[in-house]
Amino acid sequence: MADREEISADWAGRGFSCELWTDPPGQRWEDFTHGTDEVVIVLEGEMEFEVGGEVHHPEPGEELFIPAGVLHSARNVGATTARWLFGYRQSS
């Protein structure tokens, strides 16, 4: 499993925050945009991310980059609770 502390340290060094999100099976977050770049990593569960019309199913530990201003969605498509990390680029 991906190590949250290592990911947090890596993201901080790259200028990103790091927060944990938990979604029950079937949870969907549709059509979001943010004014800053975002990164996500699934820790456990089966998540689907749609970014700019392209669907991704990242494996646990695989990072996905979501550029600022791009329409995106997050969906727990698995049968178990999903835990994933997200971070936003911090302004300096």
Side-chain angles (χ1 to χ4, degrees):
M1 181 192 307
D3 183 283
R4 183 178 175 184
E5 289 182 16
E6 287 180 15
I7 294 165
S8 182
D10 174 60
W11 286 2
R14 292 164 46 204
F16 287 87
S17 62
C18 184
E19 301 293 333
L20 176 66
W21 197 259
T22 303
D23 283 322
Q27 178 68 57
R28 300 170 69 92
W29 303 98
E30 299 290 341
D31 300 333
F32 283 84
T33 59
H34 305 292
T36 186
D37 293 336
E38 181 180 8
V39 286
V40 298
I41 288 183
V42 176
L43 297 177
E44 59 187 58
E46 188 179 348
M47 290 295 296
E48 173 180 279
F49 295 91
E50 186 172 344
V51 181
E54 185 174 333
V55 176
H56 303 269
H57 294 96
E59 294 294 321
E62 181 183 344
E63 182 177 294
L64 179 64
F65 178 76
I66 303 169
V70 172
L71 189 67
H72 61 284
S73 300
R75 308 171 185 118
N76 182 346
V77 294
T80 62
T81 296
R83 294 174 59 246
W84 48 287
L85 300 174
F86 69 96
Y88 298 117
R89 186 177 305 277
Q90 304 295 289
S91 54
S92 40

